[in-house]
Amino acid sequence: MKSLSVLAATLFALAIWQGIVTLTGLPKFILPGPAVVAETWWQNRWLIAEHAWITAIEVIIGLACGTLLGVVTALQLANSRVARVLVQPMLVFTQALPVFALAPLLTLWLGYGLLSKVAMAVLIIYFPITSSFFDGLMRTPQGYLDLARTMQAGKRAVLWHIRIPAALPSLASGMRLAAVYAPIGAVIGEWVGSSQGLGYLMLLANGRAKTDLMFAAMLTLGVFSILLHMIVRRATARMAGEVR
Amino acid sequence: MTPAPDLTISGTATIDGAILFAPLTLTLDAGAWTCLLGGSGVGKTTVLRLIAGLETGAEFSGRITASDGQPVSDRVAYMAQDDLLLPWASVAQNVSLGARLRGEKVDLDRRDRLIERMRLQDHMTKKPPELSGGQRQRVALARTLMEDRPIVLLDEPFSALDARTRADMQDLAAEALKGRTVLLVTHDPGEAARLGQSIVVMTQHGLTPCDPPVAPAPRSVDDLQTLETQGALLRLLREGGV
């Protein structure tokens, strides 16, 4: 039933797309139709796969590093008042900066290769991971803490047996958000300076008026992002308490 | 476990300078159930939390002492209206929570015996969301017993249960906690009349001790004197109200 509705929605979107192309009669290099894009995709499948592979690696490494960093930061913040006073304002301020504007800097510092894209993905997901997990850690139901107190539990034991497990659903929602953001981060990094990846391919195709290839690369990125989100969603289902 | 001591709390509590309860003295008899009956907001939960050494938000000036002279707050077990079961942990893990939190080795035999005593042996590996309200409170009671403390503090633990389950739980708890110094905080006159070996009504005017029925607790739900006491308690509550 669910796959049927996905199919229906896809067909509907394709029909609208084709409808616009037919009605406006726009030339191929302005707006290619779905059939043209599909054909281009097939012809360039190895080229696209090669670039998609690069982007995928950047995103996955970025996701892993960003999650790890976010989890560690949240634990530190939850554990120490000093850390909260010193680090939290900085965290909020970095979030107020447009990450896009940092991309050229990162390329300058870290070069054209993988590192600057991973850094970009990490930067973009670090905050959602940190803040969601931190919120979860600070919102432990008071009753649990009272109970632990009457049981003479140490701070560390409470963190390990109660506060962290109670915060896992929050961390799961942060990770799901991160799965959507991370590809955006990597692609921004690729736009600013790179010689590989789907972002690079899009820019290249666009510059040469190969709009059909640009569309093919963009749709590939979209499908990849959705797949990644689904995988992370499933992987975090137990954490979120959806599966027991 | 040390033998159950007498317990006395005397003093006054204020919140931001406003009096929550005026100077009072409450004595819990060693090895007996004391029911502290009162409406919402009179500070009865505060009294219990003070004994438990928990945060109350109120300023307390007074003393909490045990007849054997030993400290109080590290010899209490606590059970609240919310069963406070960890939803991600199994029944067995919840029952042994205290030992796990203190980093002690869990006495598995004792744990299993208590689980069996609470008739939960078929639910050992289940998680709390799979259990009924009554079963969950039985797990909470098993966890309380597992702590094996001489002083047990019960903060309206049965008030969210339906009438029948509540009566069952009252019987079970009365039997299981025999010999400990128990403070039951409740707003239900019927519960106080069934379980109290000593009953104290708390209103804004202070504490009023009240004679419990002569029958041994837990009293039958249709015991005439128990029903009379229930009525008398309710009258006291209403007269002492705002």
Side-chain angles (χ1 to χ4, degrees):
Chain A
M1 192 58 221
K2 201 179 167 210
S3 55
L4 206 68
S5 64
V6 169
L7 185 70
T10 310
L11 287 177
F12 181 64
L14 289 176
I16 291 186
W17 181 2
Q18 185 60 54
I20 294 174
V21 173
T22 314
L23 278 176
T24 55
L26 286 169
K28 210 179 86 168
F29 66 89
I30 302 281
L31 181 64
V36 178
V37 171
E39 198 190 329
T40 309
W41 189 88
W42 184 250
Q43 281 166 2
N44 294 285
R45 60 190 183 280
W46 295 116
L47 178 75
I48 292 175
E50 200 182 304
H51 287 287
W53 172 245
I54 299 291
T55 304
I57 287 183
E58 294 163 359
V59 168
I60 289 165
I61 298 179
L63 205 54
C65 294
T67 304
L68 194 70
L69 214 61
V71 165
V72 171
T73 311
L75 283 172
Q76 279 303 327
L77 287 176
N79 230 353
S80 131
R81 190 178 295 273
V82 179
R84 281 203 287 283
V85 170
L86 293 181
V87 179
Q88 217 173 1
M90 202 157 75
L91 213 61
V92 175
F93 182 71
T94 57
Q95 198 53 24
L97 296 173
V99 189
F100 304 77
L102 292 177
L105 266 181
L106 288 178
T107 313
L108 178 70
W109 292 339
L110 302 172
Y112 265 51
L114 185 78
L115 214 54
S116 56
K117 284 78 192 172
V118 169
M120 197 65 206
V122 167
L123 265 186
I124 217 165
I125 69 167
Y126 177 60
F127 188 79
I129 296 267
T130 305
S131 71
S132 62
F133 190 37
F134 173 67
D135 280 351
L137 287 169
M138 298 309 278
R139 272 201 321 253
T140 316
Q142 186 59 41
Y144 294 162
L145 301 178
D146 290 345
L147 185 68
R149 176 99 195 252
T150 64
M151 290 172 164
Q152 279 89 47
K155 208 174 153 188
R156 201 176 270 271
V158 173
L159 186 68
W160 184 248
H161 288 289
I162 296 178
R163 291 177 71 192
I164 291 179
L168 286 183
S170 307
L171 176 60
S173 54
M175 286 174 68
R176 289 167 180 189
L177 212 58
V180 178
Y181 285 167
I184 299 177
V187 167
I188 293 171
E190 288 170 358
W191 275 347
V192 171
S194 69
S195 51
Q196 308 174 88
L198 284 176
Y200 164 78
L201 187 62
M202 275 188 249
L203 218 55
L204 185 80
N206 209 25
R208 297 183 182 172
K210 288 185 178 172
T211 315
D212 46 352
L213 182 60
M214 148 88 188
F215 265 72
M218 189 170 69
L219 291 177
T220 306
L221 180 71
V223 170
F224 169 74
S225 295
I226 289 173
L227 279 178
L228 184 70
H229 182 63
M230 278 164 59
I231 291 168
V232 171
R233 201 177 178 84
R234 185 154 299 186
T236 54
R238 188 178 270 279
M239 273 165 66
E242 291 160 358
V243 197
R244 292 184 191 283
Chain B
M1 185 178 99
T2 54
D6 273 342
L7 208 69
T8 304
I9 172 168
S10 61
T12 177
T14 53
I15 296 180
D16 296 332
I19 288 181
L20 176 64
F21 55 77
L24 55 75
T25 300
L26 174 68
T27 298
L28 313 179
D29 295 330
W33 280 63
T34 302
C35 290
L36 183 59
L37 177 69
S40 305
V42 295
K44 59 188 194 302
T45 291
T46 303
V47 170
L48 180 140
R49 292 180 66 91
L50 285 169
I51 297 173
L54 296 174
E55 195 57 49
T56 59
E59 191 82 36
F60 175 69
S61 53
R63 302 158 45 83
I64 299 166
T65 50
S67 53
D68 55 12
Q70 292 187 49
V72 172
S73 66
D74 55 0
R75 285 191 293 163
V76 305
Y78 167 68
M79 197 171 155
Q81 178 181 345
D82 184 332
D83 50 61
L84 299 178
L85 300 181
L86 305 177
W88 57 82
S90 69
V91 165
Q93 287 171 326
N94 268 295
V95 171
S96 58
L97 178 68
R100 293 194 295 128
L101 280 177
R102 288 185 297 270
E104 296 166 359
K105 198 169 164 333
V106 177
D107 184 344
L108 297 176
D109 288 341
R110 217 173 93 73
R111 181 196 70 186
D112 293 352
R113 271 205 311 280
L114 284 171
I115 288 175
E116 209 158 306
R117 187 168 168 198
M118 293 296 131
R119 303 191 308 278
L120 291 162
Q121 61 276 18
D122 299 334
H123 308 292
M124 290 271 276
T125 56
K126 285 191 188 161
K127 305 267 168 78
E130 301 169 60
L131 304 176
S132 71
Q135 288 168 338
R136 292 168 62 107
Q137 274 304 8
R138 293 214 302 275
V139 179
L141 184 55
R143 181 187 59 202
T144 309
L145 290 169
M146 189 74 187
E147 289 297 282
D148 200 19
R149 302 286 174 84
I151 303 160
V152 178
L153 306 172
L154 307 175
D155 192 0
E156 306 192 18
F158 315 127
S159 58
L161 302 173
D162 65 81
R164 195 198 131 181
T165 315
R166 180 159 61 229
D168 289 349
M169 275 306 293
Q170 288 167 348
D171 289 342
L172 195 60
E175 193 265 323
L177 297 176
K178 205 159 264 176
R180 296 166 206 265
T181 304
V182 178
L183 172 63
L184 171 68
V185 160
T186 180
H187 57 234
D188 176 4
E191 185 162 89
R194 282 202 75 200
L195 297 175
Q197 289 165 298
S198 133
I199 301 173
V200 180
V201 177
M202 184 169 187
T203 62
Q204 301 197 308
H205 310 306
L207 300 180
T208 315
C210 208
D211 288 332
V214 285
R219 297 157 194 120
S220 159
V221 286
D222 51 6
D223 174 63
L224 274 183
Q225 208 196 352
T226 303
L227 291 172
E228 255 173 49
T229 306
Q230 178 179 348
L233 290 173
L234 182 55
R235 196 170 53 240
L236 263 176
L237 272 181
R238 298 183 72 186
E239 284 165 0
V242 200

